[in-house]
Every structure is written in C-alpha cells, then in structure tokens.
Amino acid sequence: MNVLKKYAQAAGMTDEAWKRHANPWSVWTRFAAIPLMIAAIWSREWLGWWALVPVGLVVVWLAVNPHVFPAVEQPGSWSARGIYGEKLWLRDRSLVTGDHRNVQRLLIGVGAAGFALLIWGLIALDGWPTVFGATLITLGQLWRIDRLGQLYLAHRDTAPE
C-alpha cells in the first residue's frame, strides 16, 4: 500500500467520507484553510507559543473537513468530479496514462517548489516567498483537481461506487 492510500485510510476516508469530501463546500473550505494556516503560523511573531492554538484549530478543521458536509451522490460540479477522480486514482494508478501522467509529475514538482518557498517564507517571515509558494500550491492543486475530474469523466462508467 502506498503512502497516499495509507494516509487516506488513516484519515478515515471511507466511501461515505469520499462522497462528503466531494461536496464543493469541503473542497473550497480546504483551499480557504491555506491562508488561515499561513496567518496562524505567521502569528508566532505576535503570539509566541500561543500561535499553536490557531495552528491546531486549522489542523483540526482539515482533519474533520472531509466528514462534515452532506454527501454528493452524483458529482455534477467541477470540484466533485475532481474528488471522485482522486478516489479512482488512489484505487488504480494505472488509469492515469500518457500525458495525464506527465502532468501529474509536473504538478508534483510545482507543488514541491511551492511548498519549499512557503516554508522558507514562513521561517523567515518574508512575504514574497510565502505568497508565491502558496500561489504555486493553490494553482497546482486546482490543476490537479481539473485533471482528476477529467479522469473521472473518462472512467465514470467503469468506476465502482
């Protein structure tokens, strides 16, 4: 079992949880957590060790988020198709072929670069690498969701529910 499957299992990503996570509110509020986490970490400048409280709140939100919204049975929205595609991809990596695989690899690189810049910016409390890193992460994730939505559309007739 690969790392992502282990993570999904540890996070309690049952079939019902995947359906709840496909709710657009789940997807978009996870994106909203990015600037909240940045602000929480940055707040160490003003709050000292008390900054762990807002950091902890964001972490708790990210943990419960895929479980709190109503389930999406038929993915009609762009974000829901992306999450259903992610579920398919985790179950069978061979579904991603050719150009889709190359784009996935590119997105891993974009995300890693963004994460490195974000960490650098947060450690140094420097705005440009923080904002640029968060932007790369966000754009990479949006592109990834789009590609996984295309994967879902290509394989929805053969996908087990």
Side-chain angles (χ1 to χ4, degrees):
M1 189 182 299
N2 68 38
V3 174
L4 291 174
K5 282 185 183 178
K6 286 181 182 179
Y7 171 76
Q9 190 176 39
M13 294 305 288
T14 62
D15 284 340
E16 180 65 18
W18 278 107
K19 289 177 182 179
R20 290 174 175 276
H21 182 41
N23 187 306
W25 279 98
S26 175
V27 174
W28 297 117
T29 56
R30 287 180 75 84
F31 275 105
I34 294 171
L36 293 177
M37 181 62 88
I38 290 169
I41 293 170
W42 203 288
S43 73
R44 75 181 192 274
E45 182 74 4
W46 314 290
L47 302 177
W49 285 103
W50 285 103
L52 292 175
V53 173
V55 168
L57 290 172
V58 174
V59 168
V60 167
W61 170 248
L62 290 172
V64 301
N65 173 286
H67 306 280
V68 298
F69 294 101
V72 172
E73 299 295 334
Q74 295 296 321
S77 70
W78 173 85
S79 56
R81 287 189 301 270
I83 298 303
Y84 269 67
E86 181 178 20
K87 181 181 168 188
L88 278 176
W89 173 68
L90 282 175
R91 286 189 178 169
D92 185 1
R93 294 284 181 90
S94 69
L95 294 175
V96 178
T97 59
D99 288 340
H100 284 277
R101 187 175 303 247
N102 293 335
V103 170
Q104 287 284 17
R105 288 183 181 135
L106 172 68
L107 295 176
I108 289 169
V110 168
F115 189 72
L117 283 168
L118 179 63
I119 295 301
W120 169 32
L122 288 173
I123 289 170
L125 294 176
D126 193 353
W128 86 261
T130 302
V131 172
F132 189 56
T135 301
L136 285 178
I137 290 168
T138 302
L139 291 175
Q141 279 296 98
L142 289 169
W143 194 0
R144 184 175 163 276
I145 290 170
D146 186 66
R147 297 303 282 216
L148 291 169
Q150 291 177 29
L151 177 76
Y152 170 76
L153 290 174
H155 297 283
R156 67 180 160 199
D157 295 334
T158 61
E161 290 302 327

